[in-house]
Amino acid sequence: MNKNLKNFAFIALAAIVIASCSKTKETPAAPDPQTEKSEKVLSYIQSLGFPSSAIVENGDHYVVEEDIIFPKNMVIPAGQPKTEQYYTGSLVNATNKRNIRVKVDASMTSMNAEVTSAVNQWNGISGSTVRFSIVTGTSYDILIKDENLGNGVCGQGTFPSGGAAGNLIKINKAYIAANSFAQRQRTITHELGHNISLRHTNWSAIGEGSATAVPGVGGTDASSLMNGGQCNSGATVLSTKDKQATVALYP
């Protein structure tokens, strides 16, 4: 009888040990949706030809070539960008492009004239359906605000997402304050170009791996206002090719 009791106790103990092991076995953690999304955005940026060395993670967004912002929650365009100036394959849709509302943050009101000049440059492109309007209410599509971006960076624009223009432009106001009026408005005009999908025209010269050309408007352009790496010294008016590229994307 004692032997049977010992055997029963051993079996019971073994069962407890097995049960305990089963309970403590960890199940694989479910993938974090936010991490998955940001990784997809990173892959999208790389697919556009930006080298990894040019991509910097900064909180809820990636910054490319110091002045282009890709939000981690952006909507990635379906399919591959068209091949043959240069853009991201993601455009402002037919409804939104006709009235892209720009709000000037209180931190930037001292440059209202520069913002107006920049908006007028884009609105003055004959044959383009892109139109910006400056608003003061709480509803807007793009906010232009001041932010200290460090020396060498005049501003940052945000690429379009989900059919909407990029929703933010950061201007390094203190850094460009001593520039001429033409150069200050050039910075804002340049960043607005990013917000409607235009990339740097001189992408190859500044080290990007590849770029998607606007159909029929490829090639380099020394006069392009969308040339990168020319903070404080670039063209101050949209070139013929800048205008042709805008018309090609937004006829």
Side-chain angles (χ1 to χ4, degrees):
M1 185 66 177
N2 290 340
K3 185 177 181 181
N4 289 338
L5 285 174
K6 288 180 179 179
N7 289 339
F8 178 78
F10 176 79
I11 292 170
L13 179 62
I16 292 171
V17 171
I18 292 170
S20 297
C21 290
S22 299
K23 288 179 181 178
T24 57
K25 185 178 180 180
E26 294 184 2
T27 56
D32 178 23
Q34 290 185 336
T35 300
E36 282 191 327
K37 178 67 175 176
S38 64
E39 288 176 350
K40 288 180 180 178
V41 172
L42 180 59
S43 295
Y44 168 62
I45 297 170
Q46 292 169 333
S47 76
L48 294 174
F50 293 107
S52 297
S53 59
I55 305 171
V56 177
E57 186 174 6
N58 186 13
D60 61 358
H61 61 271
Y62 295 101
V63 179
V64 179
E65 292 178 347
E66 298 184 331
D67 84 319
I68 307 172
I69 297 171
F70 287 88
K72 288 183 178 179
N73 63 351
M74 73 174 291
V75 178
I76 300 171
Q80 295 299 314
K82 300 174 184 178
T83 55
E84 178 356 315
Q85 262 76 45
Y86 299 90
Y87 76 120
T88 68
S90 181
L91 298 174
V92 184
N93 67 28
T95 300
N96 294 331
K97 67 180 180 178
R98 296 182 181 276
N99 184 25
I100 303 172
R101 300 163 298 174
V102 177
K103 180 170 182 176
V104 181
D105 184 75
S107 62
M108 279 294 296
T109 54
S110 63
M111 291 190 182
N112 275 336
E114 288 88 335
V115 174
T116 299
S117 178
V119 163
N120 288 343
Q121 285 218 52
W122 291 108
N123 288 350
I125 299 175
S126 177
S128 165
T129 52
V130 165
R131 291 294 180 270
F132 293 96
S133 62
I134 299 174
V135 299
T136 57
T138 56
S139 296
Y140 56 87
D141 301 300
I142 300 174
L143 178 68
I144 300 180
K145 71 172 187 176
D146 171 40
E147 186 163 320
N148 183 355
L149 302 172
N151 288 341
V153 182
C154 287
Q156 293 177 343
T158 308
F159 276 149
S161 173
N167 64 2
L168 178 64
I169 289 176
K170 300 177 182 180
I171 300 298
N172 197 353
K173 191 171 74 169
Y175 184 69
I176 69 172
N179 292 354
S180 67
F181 176 91
Q183 282 294 328
R184 294 195 301 271
Q185 70 82 33
R186 185 259 184 199
T187 293
I188 298 166
T189 307
H190 179 96
E191 304 311 338
L192 283 171
H194 288 323
N195 282 52
I196 58 172
S197 195
L198 290 174
R199 287 181 59 172
H200 293 139
T201 306
N202 60 341
W203 61 271
S204 180
I206 58 179
E208 294 179 21
S210 64
T212 302
V214 175
V217 199
T220 59
D221 178 10
S223 300
S224 174
L225 191 148
M226 291 308 300
N227 280 330
Q230 297 181 353
C231 178
N232 300 329
S233 62
T236 58
V237 295
L238 295 169
S239 71
T240 297
K241 276 196 171 185
D242 290 335
K243 295 175 183 178
Q244 290 172 344
T246 307
V247 173
L249 294 179
Y250 299 104

